[in-house]
Amino acid sequence: MRPLRRHATTLILVVLAAAAAIVLLVLDRGAVSTDEAGRRKKHLLEAWRPDEITEVTVTLASPGAPQTARLTRGEVNDAGQRPWSVEIDGQRYPADEPAVDQLLGTLEFATAERRVPAEASDPAALGLASPRLSIAVAMGPRRERLLLGGSAPTPPGAVYAEVAGRGVFVITKQLAAALDVPPDRFRSRSFVPYLAAELAGLTLEGEGGARRFSRAPWGGGRGAGFRFAEGSPEGSGVRVSAPAIEGVLSALGRLQAEEFLSEEEARQALASDGPRVTLTLLPSDPSAKPGVIDLGGDCPDRPDHVVAVRREPTRAAACVPASVLEPLTEEASRFVDLALVGAPLDEVAEVKLAAGERSLELARAGSEWHLRAPEDRPVPTETGRALVQAILDVRATRLLPSASDPGALGLVPPRATLRVLSTPPESPGEGEPRERIETLEIGAEQEGAVHVRRLEDGAVAEVPAPAAGALLPSEVSLRSMQVLDFARDQVSALRVERPGLVQRLRRTGDGAWELLEPRGEGLAADDALADELADLLGGLKAERWVAADAGNGYGLGAPRLVIEAELASTSEPGGGAAGGAAARSARVELGALAGAGSFARAGKGGPVFVAPPALEAAAGRLLLRRDVFVVAPQEIARVTLLPGDGKPVVVEASPGGFTVVGAGDQASATAAAAGVRDALADLRAEGAVALGKPEKHHGLSPPRLRITVDLARPQAAPAGEGGATPPRRAPGSFTIAIGAGDAFRGTNVFYARREGVDAVYAIAQSRVRPLLEAAGVAGAAGVR
């Protein structure tokens, strides 16, 4: 005891000192250090400690009762975040995190224009006795309070602001506007209670009928892992189209509240017709309530918005974009997945096709592909991707009823099987990735169709026989994708044949093209179109290989289009060329359509491939020169515009420029004349659409507009275009007729014909419109 007594005084002093330090530390937490004060001497709030902020209260004065939003910061969640919530009128909601962050950022960096002297700081006179806005911040032991009052004289739009304990300041109009946030804006705009990943299923009722979807065991991306729920007419468990359900999930993501409504406002909006769609969300968590949202009814004072009423798990009503309704009102048939394989290309890891003794097995190795059977060797990336993509592109024309007899459909036993292994994106990052295995059983061909059973969901699909060829093992599918390979300059002649028309062109000594067939007044070859076709033919690549022999299928027994090229020098044939030694010609036949492309073969009797759509687009058009309407400004003496139901308008060239004869308003007339001049210089056609005399639908008998061009001197062929100059009605003049509007190769056009050229052309409406407007043709600006 004696040693203890000896040190008792020392121990007591130590304890007292520690207690004093703790008290000082606690008391000092709310104080502003010298360093902090120095850093923030230009800011309104002299202290700012983001990690200590736990509560922000915003009160906005209003004609009725003040509006208050009390923002409270939560505890750290699983994502390491401290989410905010907001209390408004006694109801608590998730807060809009960006809105809260923006307010806190504004407060942190808020500065004043100037300080108001204490003797001039009368709260009543400055509008601070009844402030229009009050913001209180709880920051650890500190409490910051900012009030916004009336307008200050300078700068324009400035406002008086009071900071508790610091005095009165003048702040800018911009800062005041950034702080003046309506309390309702702090509510989260997200209206859907659950994320897509949290859903076990969902139901749509109303427009489009009843559609019930549930998560499928095969997983996949956001939309890849759904099937029709039990009891669905489309078949319980049948796979849902990933793009279709993705449209629904994307709509849920866009279902954001633009403006919150009262219960009464929402009730009135839905009173007449009720909701157009009722959406029920089934969460994966069995303890969570389903989410129920009604959509429909015009939103008050908000065009292109509809009313959304959330009935469960919490009530809310808001205006949301009307665009969300489109995918939610699709009929159930649009959700049926007609693709045979559900995995996308970038997820496919292995493919195995087997039919009796024949098999073909392909595996991905990084970005490359490797053949495992029938031999072990690498496969060019382009070839491997094409083979797999061909399988993924196969679509059923329909799904058969579940009661269909497999034996009668040629599926017992199946003639071939296809196995696709893929790794969905949500596979865990550690250990072995989760795998999805899809197996197809392919039946025998029956009357031009093949039946295929998807073991993943049990559905039986009907597939056109030509398309089903991609599901069978064939080494032709591993050929090089290069079909032909020669330079454009090697092509000395072209021949394109389609039913009822043969086009023949020959290259001249200067590299231009001469039209040999068809023959007609004023017809000449278009060098650019011929060169484009020669380019596409010389570099032709298959989109995919289909079969070693066309037999009587693929529409190649009577091709829709035959393209032949004579080559001026020898060249090695590509993978599908005529074969043997160097070829002197190349031939490609296009048969039935295959998606966007066409079934095709090179030479006679070659293997079948799918040709890209660009080849048919280039060979399927008339290869006639497109500049027959173009007139250089210096060659024009006079232009007469004669509308079908109006008076002629005459434009003449003069040393001072182009003018409209007899016009009263010279300023507008000069502009119109210049427009005519420029339009004629730019009147290049999109292409020829027909040979010979025009048909009724071309609208050229009579025309919408007749244009007579009198030339200052004989017209020369425009630069860059070979071929003969079209003849004219009389020396020094010719006539252009503009007819009906239509669409041609994706462009809005007018049909047109030039006197002395035995063909009908299509010209873009944008090129013709200045001529119609100058002639006063009614509706010229709004044609198609």
Coordinates of all heavy atoms in Angstrom, one line a residue, residues 241-326:
S241 N -37.3 -13.7 -76.2 CA -36.4 -13.0 -77.1 C -35.6 -12.0 -76.2 O -36.2 -11.2 -75.6 CB -37.1 -12.3 -78.2 OG -36.2 -11.4 -78.8
A242 N -34.3 -12.2 -76.2 CA -33.4 -11.3 -75.4 C -33.6 -9.8 -75.9 O -33.7 -8.9 -75.0 CB -32.0 -11.7 -75.5
P243 N -33.6 -9.5 -77.2 CA -33.8 -8.1 -77.5 C -35.1 -7.5 -77.1 O -35.2 -6.4 -76.7 CB -33.6 -8.1 -79.1 CG -32.8 -9.3 -79.4 CD -33.2 -10.3 -78.3
A244 N -36.2 -8.4 -77.2 CA -37.5 -7.9 -76.8 C -37.6 -7.6 -75.3 O -38.1 -6.5 -74.9 CB -38.6 -8.9 -77.2
I245 N -37.1 -8.5 -74.5 CA -37.2 -8.2 -73.1 C -36.2 -7.2 -72.6 O -36.5 -6.4 -71.7 CB -37.0 -9.6 -72.3 CG1 -37.5 -9.4 -70.8 CG2 -35.5 -9.9 -72.3 CD1 -39.0 -9.4 -70.7
E246 N -35.1 -7.0 -73.4 CA -34.2 -5.9 -73.1 C -34.9 -4.6 -73.3 O -34.6 -3.6 -72.6 CB -33.0 -6.1 -74.0 CG -31.9 -4.9 -73.9 CD -31.3 -4.9 -72.5 OE1 -31.2 -5.9 -71.8 OE2 -30.9 -3.7 -72.1
G247 N -35.8 -4.5 -74.3 CA -36.5 -3.3 -74.6 C -37.4 -2.9 -73.4 O -37.5 -1.8 -73.0
V248 N -38.0 -4.0 -72.7 CA -38.8 -3.7 -71.5 C -37.9 -3.2 -70.4 O -38.2 -2.3 -69.7 CB -39.5 -5.0 -71.1 CG1 -40.2 -4.8 -69.8 CG2 -40.6 -5.4 -72.2
L249 N -36.8 -3.9 -70.2 CA -35.9 -3.5 -69.1 C -35.3 -2.1 -69.3 O -35.1 -1.4 -68.3 CB -34.8 -4.6 -68.9 CG -35.3 -6.0 -68.6 CD1 -34.1 -6.9 -68.5 CD2 -36.1 -6.0 -67.3
S250 N -35.0 -1.8 -70.5 CA -34.5 -0.4 -70.8 C -35.6 0.6 -70.5 O -35.3 1.7 -70.0 CB -34.1 -0.3 -72.3 OG -33.0 -1.2 -72.5
A251 N -36.9 0.2 -70.8 CA -38.0 1.2 -70.5 C -38.1 1.4 -69.0 O -38.3 2.5 -68.6 CB -39.3 0.6 -71.1
L252 N -37.8 0.3 -68.3 CA -37.9 0.5 -66.8 C -36.8 1.5 -66.3 O -37.0 2.3 -65.4 CB -37.7 -0.8 -66.1 CG -38.8 -1.9 -66.4 CD1 -38.6 -3.1 -65.5 CD2 -40.2 -1.3 -66.2
G253 N -35.6 1.4 -67.0 CA -34.5 2.3 -66.6 C -34.8 3.7 -67.0 O -34.4 4.6 -66.3
R254 N -35.7 3.9 -68.0 CA -36.0 5.3 -68.4 C -37.3 5.8 -67.7 O -37.7 6.9 -67.9 CB -36.3 5.3 -69.9 CG -35.2 4.9 -70.8 CD -35.4 5.4 -72.3 NE -36.7 5.0 -72.8 CZ -37.0 3.8 -73.3 NH1 -36.1 2.9 -73.4 NH2 -38.2 3.6 -73.8
L255 N -37.9 4.9 -66.9 CA -39.1 5.3 -66.2 C -38.7 6.2 -65.0 O -38.7 5.8 -63.8 CB -39.8 4.1 -65.7 CG -41.3 4.1 -65.7 CD1 -41.9 2.7 -65.8 CD2 -41.9 4.8 -64.5
Q256 N -38.3 7.4 -65.3 CA -37.9 8.4 -64.3 C -38.9 9.4 -64.1 O -39.6 9.9 -65.0 CB -36.6 9.1 -64.8 CG -35.4 8.1 -65.0 CD -34.8 7.6 -63.7 OE1 -34.6 8.4 -62.8 NE2 -34.5 6.4 -63.6
A257 N -39.1 9.8 -62.8 CA -40.1 10.8 -62.5 C -39.6 12.2 -63.0 O -38.6 12.7 -62.5 CB -40.4 10.8 -61.0
E258 N -40.3 12.8 -63.9 CA -40.0 14.2 -64.3 C -40.6 15.2 -63.4 O -40.1 16.3 -63.2 CB -40.5 14.4 -65.8 CG -39.9 13.5 -66.8 CD -38.4 13.8 -67.0 OE1 -38.0 15.0 -66.8 OE2 -37.6 12.9 -67.4
E259 N -41.8 14.8 -62.8 CA -42.5 15.7 -61.9 C -43.4 14.8 -61.0 O -44.1 13.9 -61.6 CB -43.3 16.7 -62.6 CG -44.1 17.6 -61.7 CD -45.0 18.6 -62.4 OE1 -44.9 18.6 -63.7 OE2 -45.9 19.2 -61.8
F260 N -43.4 14.9 -59.7 CA -44.2 14.2 -58.8 C -45.6 14.8 -58.8 O -45.8 16.0 -58.8 CB -43.6 14.0 -57.4 CG -42.4 13.1 -57.4 CD1 -41.1 13.7 -57.4 CD2 -42.5 11.8 -57.4 CE1 -40.0 12.9 -57.4 CE2 -41.4 10.9 -57.3 CZ -40.2 11.5 -57.3
L261 N -46.6 13.9 -58.7 CA -48.0 14.4 -58.6 C -48.6 14.0 -57.3 O -48.2 13.0 -56.6 CB -48.8 13.7 -59.8 CG -48.3 14.0 -61.2 CD1 -49.1 13.1 -62.2 CD2 -48.4 15.4 -61.6
S262 N -49.7 14.7 -57.0 CA -50.5 14.3 -55.8 C -51.4 13.1 -56.2 O -51.6 12.8 -57.4 CB -51.3 15.4 -55.3 OG -52.4 15.7 -56.3
E263 N -51.9 12.4 -55.2 CA -52.7 11.3 -55.4 C -54.0 11.7 -56.2 O -54.5 11.0 -57.1 CB -53.2 10.6 -54.1 CG -52.0 10.0 -53.3 CD -51.9 8.5 -53.7 OE1 -52.7 8.0 -54.5 OE2 -50.9 7.9 -53.3
E264 N -54.5 12.9 -55.9 CA -55.7 13.4 -56.5 C -55.4 13.7 -58.0 O -56.2 13.4 -58.9 CB -56.2 14.6 -55.8 CG -57.5 15.2 -56.4 CD -58.6 14.3 -56.5 OE1 -58.7 13.3 -55.7 OE2 -59.5 14.5 -57.3
E265 N -54.3 14.3 -58.3 CA -53.9 14.6 -59.7 C -53.8 13.3 -60.5 O -54.3 13.2 -61.6 CB -52.6 15.4 -59.8 CG -52.7 16.8 -59.3 CD -51.4 17.5 -59.3 OE1 -50.4 16.9 -58.8 OE2 -51.3 18.7 -59.7
A266 N -53.2 12.3 -59.9 CA -53.0 11.0 -60.6 C -54.4 10.3 -60.8 O -54.7 9.7 -61.9 CB -52.1 10.1 -59.8
R267 N -55.2 10.4 -59.8 CA -56.5 9.7 -59.9 C -57.4 10.3 -61.0 O -58.0 9.6 -61.8 CB -57.3 9.9 -58.5 CG -58.6 9.1 -58.5 CD -59.4 9.4 -57.3 NE -59.8 10.8 -57.3 CZ -60.9 11.3 -58.0 NH1 -61.5 10.4 -58.8 NH2 -61.2 12.5 -58.0
Q268 N -57.3 11.7 -61.1 CA -58.1 12.3 -62.2 C -57.6 12.0 -63.5 O -58.3 11.8 -64.5 CB -58.1 13.8 -61.9 CG -58.8 14.3 -60.7 CD -58.8 15.8 -60.6 OE1 -58.2 16.5 -61.4 NE2 -59.4 16.3 -59.5
A269 N -56.2 11.9 -63.7 CA -55.6 11.6 -65.0 C -56.0 10.2 -65.5 O -56.1 9.9 -66.7 CB -54.1 11.7 -64.9
L270 N -56.2 9.2 -64.5 CA -56.5 7.8 -64.9 C -58.0 7.5 -64.8 O -58.4 6.4 -65.1 CB -55.8 6.9 -63.9 CG -54.2 6.9 -64.0 CD1 -53.6 6.0 -63.0 CD2 -53.8 6.4 -65.4
A271 N -58.8 8.5 -64.4 CA -60.2 8.3 -64.2 C -61.0 7.9 -65.4 O -61.8 7.0 -65.3 CB -60.9 9.5 -63.5
S272 N -60.7 8.5 -66.6 CA -61.5 8.2 -67.7 C -61.3 6.8 -68.3 O -62.3 6.1 -68.5 CB -61.3 9.3 -68.8 OG -59.9 9.3 -69.1
D273 N -60.1 6.5 -68.7 CA -59.8 5.2 -69.4 C -59.1 4.2 -68.5 O -58.8 3.1 -69.0 CB -59.0 5.5 -70.6 CG -59.8 6.4 -71.6 OD1 -61.0 6.2 -71.7 OD2 -59.2 7.3 -72.2
G274 N -58.6 4.6 -67.3 CA -57.8 3.7 -66.5 C -56.4 3.6 -67.1 O -56.0 4.1 -68.1
P275 N -55.6 2.7 -66.5 CA -54.2 2.6 -66.9 C -54.1 1.8 -68.3 O -55.0 1.0 -68.5 CB -53.5 1.8 -65.8 CG -54.6 1.1 -65.1 CD -55.8 2.0 -65.3
R276 N -53.2 2.2 -69.1 CA -53.0 1.5 -70.4 C -52.2 0.2 -70.1 O -52.4 -0.8 -70.8 CB -52.2 2.3 -71.3 CG -53.0 3.5 -71.9 CD -52.2 4.4 -72.8 NE -51.7 3.6 -73.9 CZ -50.9 4.1 -74.9 NH1 -50.5 5.4 -74.8 NH2 -50.5 3.4 -75.9
V277 N -51.3 0.2 -69.1 CA -50.5 -1.0 -68.8 C -50.3 -1.0 -67.3 O -50.1 0.0 -66.6 CB -49.1 -0.9 -69.5 CG1 -48.2 -2.1 -69.0 CG2 -49.2 -0.9 -71.0
T278 N -50.4 -2.2 -66.8 CA -50.1 -2.4 -65.4 C -48.9 -3.4 -65.3 O -48.9 -4.5 -65.9 CB -51.2 -3.1 -64.6 OG1 -52.3 -2.1 -64.5 CG2 -50.8 -3.4 -63.1
L279 N -47.8 -2.9 -64.7 CA -46.6 -3.6 -64.6 C -46.4 -4.1 -63.2 O -46.5 -3.4 -62.2 CB -45.4 -2.6 -64.9 CG -44.0 -3.1 -64.7 CD1 -43.6 -4.2 -65.7 CD2 -43.1 -1.9 -64.9
T280 N -46.1 -5.4 -63.1 CA -45.9 -6.1 -61.8 C -44.5 -6.6 -61.8 O -44.1 -7.4 -62.7 CB -46.9 -7.2 -61.5 OG1 -48.2 -6.7 -61.6 CG2 -46.6 -7.8 -60.1
L281 N -43.7 -6.2 -60.9 CA -42.3 -6.6 -60.7 C -42.1 -7.6 -59.6 O -42.5 -7.3 -58.4 CB -41.4 -5.4 -60.5 CG -41.5 -4.3 -61.6 CD1 -40.6 -3.1 -61.1 CD2 -41.0 -4.8 -62.9
L282 N -41.6 -8.8 -59.8 CA -41.5 -9.8 -58.8 C -40.0 -9.9 -58.4 O -39.1 -10.4 -59.1 CB -41.9 -11.2 -59.4 CG -43.3 -11.2 -60.0 CD1 -43.6 -12.5 -60.6 CD2 -44.4 -10.9 -58.9
P283 N -39.7 -9.4 -57.2 CA -38.3 -9.4 -56.7 C -37.8 -10.8 -56.4 O -38.5 -11.7 -56.0 CB -38.3 -8.5 -55.5 CG -39.7 -8.6 -55.0 CD -40.6 -8.8 -56.2
S284 N -36.5 -11.0 -56.5 CA -35.9 -12.3 -56.2 C -35.9 -12.5 -54.7 O -36.0 -13.7 -54.2 CB -34.4 -12.3 -56.7 OG -34.3 -12.1 -58.0
D285 N -35.8 -11.4 -53.9 CA -35.9 -11.6 -52.4 C -37.3 -11.9 -52.0 O -38.3 -11.1 -52.2 CB -35.5 -10.2 -51.8 CG -35.5 -10.3 -50.3 OD1 -35.9 -11.3 -49.7 OD2 -35.1 -9.3 -49.7
P286 N -37.5 -13.1 -51.5 CA -38.9 -13.5 -51.1 C -39.6 -12.7 -50.1 O -40.8 -12.7 -50.0 CB -38.7 -15.0 -50.7 CG -37.3 -15.1 -50.3 CD -36.5 -14.2 -51.2
S287 N -38.8 -12.0 -49.3 CA -39.3 -11.1 -48.2 C -39.8 -9.8 -48.8 O -40.4 -9.0 -48.0 CB -38.3 -10.9 -47.1 OG -37.2 -10.2 -47.6
A288 N -39.4 -9.4 -50.0 CA -39.8 -8.1 -50.6 C -41.1 -8.2 -51.2 O -41.5 -9.2 -51.9 CB -38.7 -7.7 -51.5
K289 N -41.9 -7.1 -51.2 CA -43.2 -7.0 -51.8 C -43.0 -6.9 -53.3 O -42.1 -6.2 -53.8 CB -44.0 -5.9 -51.3 CG -44.5 -6.0 -49.9 CD -45.3 -4.8 -49.5 CE -46.0 -5.0 -48.1 NZ -46.8 -3.8 -47.8
P290 N -43.9 -7.4 -54.1 CA -43.9 -7.1 -55.6 C -44.1 -5.6 -55.8 O -44.7 -4.9 -55.0 CB -45.1 -7.9 -56.1 CG -45.4 -8.9 -55.1 CD -45.0 -8.3 -53.8
G291 N -43.5 -5.1 -56.9 CA -43.7 -3.7 -57.3 C -44.9 -3.7 -58.3 O -44.9 -4.4 -59.2
V292 N -45.8 -2.8 -58.1 CA -47.0 -2.7 -59.0 C -47.0 -1.2 -59.5 O -47.1 -0.3 -58.6 CB -48.3 -3.1 -58.3 CG1 -49.4 -3.0 -59.3 CG2 -48.2 -4.5 -57.8
I293 N -47.0 -1.0 -60.8 CA -47.0 0.3 -61.4 C -48.1 0.4 -62.5 O -48.1 -0.5 -63.4 CB -45.7 0.7 -61.9 CG1 -44.6 0.7 -60.8 CG2 -45.7 2.1 -62.6 CD1 -43.2 0.9 -61.4
D294 N -49.0 1.4 -62.4 CA -50.0 1.6 -63.4 C -49.4 2.8 -64.3 O -49.0 3.8 -63.8 CB -51.3 2.0 -62.8 CG -52.0 0.9 -62.1 OD1 -51.8 -0.3 -62.5 OD2 -52.7 1.2 -61.1
L295 N -49.6 2.6 -65.6 CA -49.1 3.6 -66.6 C -50.2 4.0 -67.5 O -50.9 3.1 -68.1 CB -47.9 3.1 -67.4 CG -46.6 2.9 -66.6 CD1 -45.7 2.0 -67.4 CD2 -45.9 4.2 -66.4
G296 N -50.5 5.3 -67.7 CA -51.5 5.7 -68.7 C -52.1 7.0 -68.3 O -51.9 7.5 -67.1
G297 N -52.7 7.7 -69.2 CA -53.3 9.0 -68.9 C -52.4 10.1 -69.2 O -51.2 10.0 -68.9
D298 N -52.9 11.2 -69.7 CA -52.1 12.4 -70.0 C -51.6 13.1 -68.8 O -52.4 13.2 -67.8 CB -52.9 13.4 -70.9 CG -53.2 12.8 -72.3 OD1 -52.5 11.9 -72.7 OD2 -54.2 13.2 -72.9
C299 N -50.4 13.5 -68.8 CA -49.8 14.2 -67.6 C -50.2 15.6 -67.7 O -50.0 16.3 -68.8 CB -48.3 14.0 -67.6 SG -47.6 14.1 -66.0
P300 N -50.7 16.3 -66.6 CA -51.0 17.7 -66.7 C -49.9 18.6 -67.1 O -48.8 18.5 -66.5 CB -51.5 18.0 -65.2 CG -51.8 16.6 -64.7 CD -50.9 15.7 -65.3
D301 N -50.1 19.4 -68.1 CA -49.2 20.4 -68.6 C -47.8 19.8 -69.0 O -46.8 20.5 -69.1 CB -48.9 21.4 -67.5 CG -50.2 22.1 -67.0 OD1 -51.1 22.4 -67.9 OD2 -50.4 22.3 -65.8
R302 N -47.8 18.5 -69.4 CA -46.5 17.9 -69.8 C -46.8 17.1 -71.1 O -47.1 15.9 -71.0 CB -45.9 17.1 -68.7 CG -45.1 17.9 -67.8 CD -44.2 17.0 -66.9 NE -43.3 17.8 -66.0 CZ -42.1 18.1 -66.3 NH1 -41.5 17.7 -67.4 NH2 -41.3 18.8 -65.5
P303 N -46.6 17.7 -72.3 CA -46.8 16.9 -73.5 C -45.7 15.8 -73.5 O -44.7 15.9 -73.0 CB -46.6 17.9 -74.6 CG -46.7 19.2 -74.0 CD -46.3 19.1 -72.5
D304 N -46.1 14.7 -74.2 CA -45.2 13.6 -74.4 C -44.8 12.9 -73.0 O -43.8 12.3 -72.9 CB -43.9 14.0 -75.1 CG -44.1 14.6 -76.4 OD1 -45.1 14.1 -77.1 OD2 -43.4 15.5 -76.8
H305 N -45.7 13.1 -72.0 CA -45.6 12.4 -70.8 C -46.9 11.7 -70.4 O -47.9 12.1 -70.8 CB -45.1 13.3 -69.7 CG -43.7 13.8 -69.7 ND1 -43.3 14.6 -70.7 CD2 -42.6 13.5 -69.0 CE1 -42.0 14.8 -70.6 NE2 -41.5 14.1 -69.5
V306 N -46.8 10.6 -69.6 CA -48.0 10.0 -69.1 C -47.8 9.8 -67.6 O -46.7 10.0 -67.0 CB -48.1 8.6 -69.7 CG1 -48.4 8.7 -71.2 CG2 -46.9 7.7 -69.5
V307 N -49.0 9.5 -67.0 CA -49.0 9.4 -65.5 C -48.6 8.0 -65.1 O -49.0 7.0 -65.8 CB -50.4 9.7 -65.0 CG1 -50.5 9.3 -63.5 CG2 -50.8 11.1 -65.2
A308 N -47.7 7.9 -64.1 CA -47.3 6.6 -63.6 C -47.7 6.6 -62.1 O -47.4 7.5 -61.4 CB -45.8 6.3 -63.7
V309 N -48.4 5.6 -61.7 CA -48.8 5.4 -60.2 C -48.2 4.2 -59.7 O -48.5 3.1 -60.2 CB -50.4 5.4 -60.1 CG1 -50.7 5.2 -58.6 CG2 -51.0 6.7 -60.6
R310 N -47.3 4.3 -58.7 CA -46.8 3.1 -58.1 C -47.6 2.8 -56.9 O -47.7 3.6 -55.9 CB -45.3 3.4 -57.7 CG -44.6 2.2 -57.1 CD -43.1 2.5 -56.8 NE -43.0 3.4 -55.7 CZ -42.1 4.4 -55.6 NH1 -41.2 4.5 -56.6 NH2 -42.1 5.2 -54.6
R311 N -48.2 1.6 -56.9 CA -49.1 1.2 -55.8 C -48.4 0.3 -54.8 O -48.7 0.3 -53.6 CB -50.3 0.3 -56.4 CG -51.2 1.2 -57.2 CD -52.5 0.4 -57.6 NE -52.4 -0.4 -58.8 CZ -52.7 -1.7 -58.9 NH1 -53.1 -2.3 -57.9 NH2 -52.5 -2.3 -60.1
E312 N -47.3 -0.4 -55.2 CA -46.5 -1.2 -54.2 C -45.1 -1.1 -54.7 O -44.8 -0.9 -55.9 CB -47.0 -2.7 -54.3 CG -48.4 -2.9 -53.8 CD -48.5 -2.8 -52.3 OE1 -47.5 -2.7 -51.6 OE2 -49.7 -2.7 -51.8
P313 N -44.1 -1.3 -53.8 CA -44.3 -1.5 -52.3 C -44.5 -0.2 -51.6 O -44.9 -0.2 -50.4 CB -42.9 -2.1 -52.0 CG -42.0 -1.5 -53.0 CD -42.7 -1.4 -54.2
T314 N -44.3 1.0 -52.2 CA -44.7 2.3 -51.6 C -45.5 3.0 -52.6 O -45.3 2.8 -53.8 CB -43.4 3.1 -51.2 OG1 -42.6 3.2 -52.4 CG2 -42.6 2.3 -50.1
R315 N -46.3 3.9 -52.2 CA -47.1 4.7 -53.1 C -46.4 6.0 -53.6 O -45.7 6.6 -52.8 CB -48.5 5.1 -52.4 CG -49.3 3.9 -52.1 CD -50.7 4.3 -51.8 NE -51.4 4.9 -52.9 CZ -52.1 4.2 -53.8 NH1 -52.1 2.9 -53.8 NH2 -52.7 4.9 -54.8
A316 N -46.6 6.3 -54.9 CA -46.1 7.5 -55.5 C -46.8 7.7 -56.8 O -47.2 6.7 -57.4 CB -44.6 7.4 -55.6
A317 N -46.8 8.9 -57.3 CA -47.4 9.2 -58.6 C -46.5 10.3 -59.2 O -46.0 11.2 -58.6 CB -48.8 9.7 -58.4
A318 N -46.3 10.2 -60.5 CA -45.4 11.1 -61.2 C -45.7 11.1 -62.7 O -46.4 10.3 -63.2 CB -43.9 10.6 -61.0
C319 N -45.1 12.1 -63.4 CA -45.1 12.2 -64.8 C -43.8 11.5 -65.3 O -42.8 11.8 -64.8 CB -45.1 13.6 -65.3 SG -46.6 14.5 -64.9
V320 N -44.0 10.6 -66.3 CA -42.9 9.9 -66.9 C -42.9 10.0 -68.4 O -44.0 10.2 -68.9 CB -42.8 8.4 -66.4 CG1 -42.8 8.3 -64.9 CG2 -44.1 7.7 -67.0
P321 N -41.8 9.8 -69.1 CA -41.8 9.9 -70.6 C -42.8 8.9 -71.2 O -42.8 7.7 -70.8 CB -40.4 9.6 -70.9 CG -39.6 10.0 -69.7 CD -40.4 9.6 -68.6
A322 N -43.6 9.4 -72.1 CA -44.5 8.5 -72.8 C -43.8 7.4 -73.6 O -44.4 6.4 -73.9 CB -45.5 9.3 -73.7
S323 N -42.6 7.6 -74.0 CA -41.8 6.6 -74.8 C -41.7 5.3 -74.1 O -41.5 4.3 -74.8 CB -40.5 7.2 -75.2 OG -39.7 7.4 -74.0
V324 N -41.8 5.3 -72.8 CA -41.7 4.0 -72.1 C -42.8 3.0 -72.4 O -42.7 1.8 -72.2 CB -41.6 4.2 -70.6 CG1 -40.4 5.1 -70.2 CG2 -42.9 4.7 -70.0
L325 N -43.9 3.5 -72.9 CA -45.1 2.7 -73.2 C -44.9 1.7 -74.4 O -45.4 0.6 -74.4 CB -46.3 3.5 -73.4 CG -47.0 4.1 -72.2 CD1 -48.1 5.1 -72.6 CD2 -47.5 3.0 -71.3
E326 N -44.1 2.2 -75.4 CA -44.0 1.4 -76.6 C -43.5 0.0 -76.4 O -44.2 -1.0 -76.8 CB -43.1 2.1 -77.6 CG -43.0 1.4 -78.9 CD -42.2 2.1 -80.0 OE1 -41.8 3.3 -79.7 OE2 -41.9 1.5 -81.0

